[in-house]
Tab-separated table of all heavy atoms in Angstrom:
chain	number	residue	atom	x	y	z
Y	189	LEU	N	49.868	80.123	-11.498
Y	189	LEU	CA	49.710	80.663	-10.140
Y	189	LEU	C	50.999	81.242	-9.610
Y	189	LEU	O	51.031	82.306	-8.983
Y	189	LEU	CB	49.192	79.575	-9.195
Y	189	LEU	CG	47.760	79.071	-9.439
Y	189	LEU	CD1	47.477	77.868	-8.543
Y	189	LEU	CD2	46.758	80.193	-9.199
Y	190	SER	N	52.123	80.578	-9.918
Y	190	SER	CA	53.415	81.049	-9.492
Y	190	SER	C	53.784	82.379	-10.167
Y	190	SER	O	54.289	83.324	-9.507
Y	190	SER	CB	54.471	79.987	-9.790
Y	190	SER	OG	55.757	80.444	-9.407
Y	191	LEU	N	53.480	82.440	-11.490
Y	191	LEU	CA	53.765	83.680	-12.251
Y	191	LEU	C	52.908	84.838	-11.734
Y	191	LEU	O	53.392	85.994	-11.630
Y	191	LEU	CB	53.527	83.442	-13.719
Y	191	LEU	CG	54.544	82.528	-14.449
Y	191	LEU	CD1	54.013	82.209	-15.832
Y	191	LEU	CD2	55.909	83.211	-14.488
Y	192	LEU	N	51.683	84.535	-11.370
Y	192	LEU	CA	50.796	85.599	-10.917
Y	192	LEU	C	51.239	86.195	-9.583
Y	192	LEU	O	50.998	87.345	-9.368
Y	192	LEU	CB	49.367	85.031	-10.737
Y	192	LEU	CG	48.563	84.801	-12.010
Y	192	LEU	CD1	47.263	84.055	-11.721
Y	192	LEU	CD2	48.252	86.135	-12.688
Y	193	GLU	N	51.940	85.424	-8.821
Y	193	GLU	CA	52.455	85.977	-7.548
Y	193	GLU	C	53.425	87.130	-7.762
Y	193	GLU	O	53.522	88.035	-6.930
Y	193	GLU	CB	53.141	84.815	-6.721
Y	193	GLU	CG	52.147	83.803	-6.195
Y	193	GLU	CD	52.905	82.697	-5.403
Y	193	GLU	OE1	54.166	82.754	-5.378
Y	193	GLU	OE2	52.197	81.798	-4.908
Y	194	THR	N	54.132	87.084	-8.862
Y	194	THR	CA	55.139	88.118	-9.140
Y	194	THR	C	54.504	89.428	-9.625
Y	194	THR	O	55.150	90.460	-9.640
Y	194	THR	CB	56.181	87.662	-10.176
Y	194	THR	OG1	55.510	87.443	-11.427
Y	194	THR	CG2	56.812	86.375	-9.727
Y	195	VAL	N	53.236	89.378	-10.048
Y	195	VAL	CA	52.572	90.578	-10.552
Y	195	VAL	C	51.200	90.763	-9.859
Y	195	VAL	O	50.282	91.360	-10.407
Y	195	VAL	CB	52.345	90.512	-12.079
Y	195	VAL	CG1	53.622	90.664	-12.882
Y	195	VAL	CG2	51.666	89.190	-12.462
Y	196	GLU	N	51.135	90.318	-8.613
Y	196	GLU	CA	49.819	90.362	-7.930
Y	196	GLU	C	49.323	91.764	-7.657
Y	196	GLU	O	48.113	91.975	-7.525
Y	196	GLU	CB	49.948	89.601	-6.583
Y	196	GLU	CG	50.999	90.113	-5.638
Y	196	GLU	CD	51.106	89.308	-4.389
Y	196	GLU	OE1	50.235	88.426	-4.200
Y	196	GLU	OE2	51.995	89.500	-3.562
Y	197	ASP	N	50.211	92.752	-7.665
Y	197	ASP	CA	49.850	94.119	-7.411
Y	197	ASP	C	49.556	94.912	-8.676
Y	197	ASP	O	49.184	96.063	-8.651
Y	197	ASP	CB	50.891	94.898	-6.604
Y	197	ASP	CG	51.112	94.254	-5.238
Y	197	ASP	OD1	50.120	93.744	-4.662
Y	197	ASP	OD2	52.243	94.305	-4.722
Y	198	LYS	N	49.711	94.274	-9.826
Y	198	LYS	CA	49.500	94.946	-11.115
Y	198	LYS	C	48.011	94.840	-11.534
Y	198	LYS	O	47.288	93.926	-11.150
Y	198	LYS	CB	50.365	94.289	-12.203
Y	198	LYS	CG	51.856	94.312	-11.902
Y	198	LYS	CD	52.402	95.710	-11.988
Y	198	LYS	CE	53.902	95.715	-11.818
Y	198	LYS	NZ	54.475	97.093	-11.932
Y	199	PRO	N	47.541	95.777	-12.382
Y	199	PRO	CA	46.190	95.679	-12.920
Y	199	PRO	C	46.078	94.462	-13.823
Y	199	PRO	O	47.110	93.928	-14.334
Y	199	PRO	CB	46.019	96.989	-13.701
Y	199	PRO	CG	47.389	97.490	-13.997
Y	199	PRO	CD	48.227	97.010	-12.825
Y	200	ASP	N	44.857	94.014	-14.114
Y	200	ASP	CA	44.643	92.773	-14.822
Y	200	ASP	C	45.280	92.761	-16.203
Y	200	ASP	O	45.832	91.783	-16.618
Y	200	ASP	CB	43.149	92.486	-14.935
Y	200	ASP	CG	42.596	91.917	-13.613
Y	200	ASP	OD1	43.420	91.583	-12.718
Y	200	ASP	OD2	41.366	91.794	-13.514
Y	201	HIS	N	45.164	93.945	-16.932
Y	201	HIS	CA	45.711	93.916	-18.309
Y	201	HIS	C	47.236	93.768	-18.299
Y	201	HIS	O	47.831	93.235	-19.195
Y	201	HIS	CB	45.264	95.161	-19.067
Y	201	HIS	CG	45.841	96.431	-18.605
Y	201	HIS	ND1	45.313	97.130	-17.552
Y	201	HIS	CD2	46.916	97.131	-19.027
Y	201	HIS	CE1	46.044	98.212	-17.342
Y	201	HIS	NE2	47.021	98.239	-18.208
Y	202	GLU	N	47.860	94.299	-17.208
Y	202	GLU	CA	49.336	94.122	-17.087
Y	202	GLU	C	49.672	92.655	-16.760
Y	202	GLU	O	50.681	92.127	-17.243
Y	202	GLU	CB	49.870	95.030	-15.990
Y	202	GLU	CG	49.809	96.512	-16.357
Y	202	GLU	CD	50.840	96.836	-17.463
Y	202	GLU	OE1	51.831	96.060	-17.612
Y	202	GLU	OE2	50.671	97.844	-18.140
Y	203	LYS	N	48.839	92.034	-15.942
Y	203	LYS	CA	49.015	90.605	-15.619
Y	203	LYS	C	48.948	89.787	-16.906
Y	203	LYS	O	49.775	88.864	-17.099
Y	203	LYS	CB	48.019	90.121	-14.587
Y	203	LYS	CG	48.147	90.728	-13.220
Y	203	LYS	CD	47.034	90.207	-12.311
Y	203	LYS	CE	47.129	90.814	-10.911
Y	203	LYS	NZ	46.007	90.409	-10.052
Y	204	VAL	N	47.962	90.110	-17.732
Y	204	VAL	CA	47.749	89.377	-18.999
Y	204	VAL	C	49.017	89.529	-19.879
Y	204	VAL	O	49.543	88.530	-20.441
Y	204	VAL	CB	46.518	89.860	-19.720
Y	204	VAL	CG1	46.476	89.191	-21.115
Y	204	VAL	CG2	45.293	89.589	-18.926
Y	205	LYS	N	49.525	90.699	-20.026
Y	205	LYS	CA	50.726	90.952	-20.820
Y	205	LYS	C	51.883	90.127	-20.282
Y	205	LYS	O	52.658	89.550	-21.066
Y	205	LYS	CB	51.082	92.472	-20.815
Y	205	LYS	CG	50.140	93.315	-21.637
Y	205	LYS	CD	50.432	94.799	-21.463
Y	205	LYS	CE	51.812	95.162	-21.929
Y	205	LYS	NZ	52.129	96.605	-21.795
Y	206	PHE	N	52.019	90.118	-18.972
Y	206	PHE	CA	53.118	89.347	-18.356
Y	206	PHE	C	52.959	87.861	-18.652
Y	206	PHE	O	53.944	87.177	-18.957
Y	206	PHE	CB	53.120	89.620	-16.850
Y	206	PHE	CG	54.183	88.854	-16.114
Y	206	PHE	CD1	55.517	89.151	-16.231
Y	206	PHE	CD2	53.844	87.760	-15.278
Y	206	PHE	CE1	56.516	88.423	-15.590
Y	206	PHE	CE2	54.788	87.079	-14.596
Y	206	PHE	CZ	56.148	87.387	-14.760
Y	207	LEU	N	51.725	87.347	-18.489
Y	207	LEU	CA	51.525	85.897	-18.734
Y	207	LEU	C	51.708	85.561	-20.243
Y	207	LEU	O	52.288	84.522	-20.536
Y	207	LEU	CB	50.104	85.532	-18.278
Y	207	LEU	CG	49.841	85.612	-16.799
Y	207	LEU	CD1	48.379	85.341	-16.495
Y	207	LEU	CD2	50.746	84.645	-16.004
Y	208	PHE	N	51.260	86.433	-21.132
Y	208	PHE	CA	51.466	86.210	-22.537
Y	208	PHE	C	52.977	86.180	-22.866
Y	208	PHE	O	53.446	85.356	-23.687
Y	208	PHE	CB	50.803	87.284	-23.387
Y	208	PHE	CG	49.366	86.992	-23.676
Y	208	PHE	CD1	48.429	88.072	-23.739
Y	208	PHE	CD2	48.909	85.752	-24.018
Y	208	PHE	CE1	47.106	87.816	-24.031
Y	208	PHE	CE2	47.584	85.504	-24.257
Y	208	PHE	CZ	46.651	86.536	-24.300
Y	209	SER	N	53.736	87.049	-22.217
Y	209	SER	CA	55.176	87.082	-22.449
Y	209	SER	C	55.888	85.836	-21.947
Y	209	SER	O	56.993	85.560	-22.365
Y	209	SER	CB	55.790	88.332	-21.777
Y	209	SER	OG	55.745	88.210	-20.341
Y	210	ASN	N	55.212	85.099	-21.086
Y	210	ASN	CA	55.747	83.828	-20.598
Y	210	ASN	C	55.078	82.617	-21.277
Y	210	ASN	O	55.079	81.491	-20.732
Y	210	ASN	CB	55.552	83.713	-19.068
Y	210	ASN	CG	56.565	84.549	-18.300
Y	210	ASN	OD1	57.686	84.081	-18.046
Y	210	ASN	ND2	56.208	85.780	-17.975
Y	211	ASP	N	54.490	82.879	-22.444
Y	211	ASP	CA	53.908	81.822	-23.291
Y	211	ASP	C	52.767	81.062	-22.636
Y	211	ASP	O	52.588	79.859	-22.856
Y	211	ASP	CB	55.000	80.794	-23.701
Y	211	ASP	CG	56.094	81.474	-24.503
Y	211	ASP	OD1	55.807	82.353	-25.318
Y	211	ASP	OD2	57.270	81.098	-24.336
Y	212	ILE	N	51.978	81.792	-21.787
Y	212	ILE	CA	50.786	81.174	-21.244
Y	212	ILE	C	49.617	81.349	-22.163
Y	212	ILE	O	49.327	82.468	-22.546
Y	212	ILE	CB	50.442	81.787	-19.852
Y	212	ILE	CG1	51.658	81.689	-18.895
Y	212	ILE	CG2	49.237	81.089	-19.238
Y	212	ILE	CD1	52.107	80.269	-18.640
Y	213	PRO	N	48.942	80.299	-22.587
Y	213	PRO	CA	47.797	80.417	-23.543
Y	213	PRO	C	46.615	81.130	-22.918
Y	213	PRO	O	46.401	81.141	-21.688
Y	213	PRO	CB	47.437	78.950	-23.881
Y	213	PRO	CG	47.944	78.141	-22.733
Y	213	PRO	CD	49.177	78.878	-22.230
Y	214	GLU	N	45.831	81.749	-23.802
Y	214	GLU	CA	44.704	82.561	-23.332
Y	214	GLU	C	43.673	81.813	-22.514
Y	214	GLU	O	43.194	82.293	-21.508
Y	214	GLU	CB	44.020	83.185	-24.556
Y	214	GLU	CG	42.861	84.136	-24.220
Y	214	GLU	CD	42.309	84.812	-25.475
Y	214	GLU	OE1	43.112	85.050	-26.438
Y	214	GLU	OE2	41.097	85.066	-25.523
Y	215	ASP	N	43.367	80.553	-22.912
Y	215	ASP	CA	42.361	79.790	-22.212
Y	215	ASP	C	42.789	79.509	-20.778
Y	215	ASP	O	41.958	79.448	-19.826
Y	215	ASP	CB	42.000	78.497	-22.944
Y	215	ASP	CG	43.232	77.580	-23.117
Y	215	ASP	OD1	44.354	78.101	-23.062
Y	215	ASP	OD2	43.071	76.390	-23.399
Y	216	LEU	N	44.082	79.271	-20.569
Y	216	LEU	CA	44.616	79.027	-19.225
Y	216	LEU	C	44.620	80.261	-18.364
Y	216	LEU	O	44.387	80.201	-17.175
Y	216	LEU	CB	46.028	78.461	-19.312
Y	216	LEU	CG	46.511	77.609	-18.137
Y	216	LEU	CD1	45.536	76.467	-17.853
Y	216	LEU	CD2	47.898	77.074	-18.419
Y	217	ILE	N	44.825	81.448	-18.999
Y	217	ILE	CA	44.761	82.689	-18.293
Y	217	ILE	C	43.368	82.905	-17.770
Y	217	ILE	O	43.129	83.341	-16.593
Y	217	ILE	CB	45.206	83.868	-19.202
Y	217	ILE	CG1	46.661	83.693	-19.571
Y	217	ILE	CG2	44.962	85.199	-18.502
Y	217	ILE	CD1	47.165	84.736	-20.560
Y	218	ILE	N	42.346	82.668	-18.621
Y	218	ILE	CA	40.952	82.859	-18.237
Y	218	ILE	C	40.614	81.885	-17.102
Y	218	ILE	O	39.946	82.272	-16.120
Y	218	ILE	CB	40.037	82.679	-19.431
Y	218	ILE	CG1	40.282	83.748	-20.486
Y	218	ILE	CG2	38.575	82.630	-18.990
Y	218	ILE	CD1	39.501	83.547	-21.772
Y	219	GLU	N	41.025	80.628	-17.216
Y	219	GLU	CA	40.658	79.617	-16.276
Y	219	GLU	C	41.316	79.851	-14.899
Y	219	GLU	O	40.642	79.789	-13.872
Y	219	GLU	CB	41.058	78.243	-16.813
Y	219	GLU	CG	40.774	77.095	-15.812
Y	219	GLU	CD	41.338	75.790	-16.284
Y	219	GLU	OE1	41.771	75.694	-17.438
Y	219	GLU	OE2	41.364	74.840	-15.459
Y	220	VAL	N	42.617	80.081	-14.926
Y	220	VAL	CA	43.358	80.105	-13.647
Y	220	VAL	C	43.388	81.529	-13.068
Y	220	VAL	O	43.113	81.721	-11.877
Y	220	VAL	CB	44.805	79.610	-13.858
Y	220	VAL	CG1	45.595	79.677	-12.527
Y	220	VAL	CG2	44.816	78.159	-14.400
Y	221	ALA	N	43.708	82.503	-13.902
Y	221	ALA	CA	43.809	83.893	-13.399
Y	221	ALA	C	42.467	84.517	-13.201
Y	221	ALA	O	42.327	85.511	-12.502
Y	221	ALA	CB	44.676	84.750	-14.317
Y	222	GLN	N	41.450	83.939	-13.832
Y	222	GLN	CA	40.053	84.440	-13.791
Y	222	GLN	C	39.987	85.918	-14.134
Y	222	GLN	O	39.431	86.726	-13.388
Y	222	GLN	CB	39.492	84.198	-12.375
Y	222	GLN	CG	39.367	82.732	-12.026
Y	222	GLN	CD	38.725	82.415	-10.685
Y	222	GLN	OE1	38.619	83.316	-9.856
Y	222	GLN	NE2	38.299	81.188	-10.471
Y	223	ILE	N	40.571	86.269	-15.262
Y	223	ILE	CA	40.596	87.633	-15.763
Y	223	ILE	C	39.555	87.749	-16.887
Y	223	ILE	O	39.428	86.873	-17.726
Y	223	ILE	CB	42.001	87.975	-16.279
Y	223	ILE	CG1	43.002	87.996	-15.120
Y	223	ILE	CG2	41.992	89.312	-16.986
Y	223	ILE	CD1	44.436	88.216	-15.512
Side-chain angles (χ1 to χ4, degrees):
L189 292 173
S190 178
L191 289 170
L192 284 171
E193 290 179 358
T194 65
V195 288
E196 58 183 353
D197 297 329
K198 301 290 185 180
D200 282 351
H201 68 277
E202 289 291 338
K203 291 178 182 177
V204 174
K205 288 173 62 178
F206 177 71
L207 293 175
F208 274 142
S209 68
N210 282 275
D211 299 322
I212 304 301
E214 183 174 328
D215 58 342
L216 203 55
I217 295 175
I218 295 174
E219 176 188 350
V220 180
Q222 297 185 343
I223 295 176

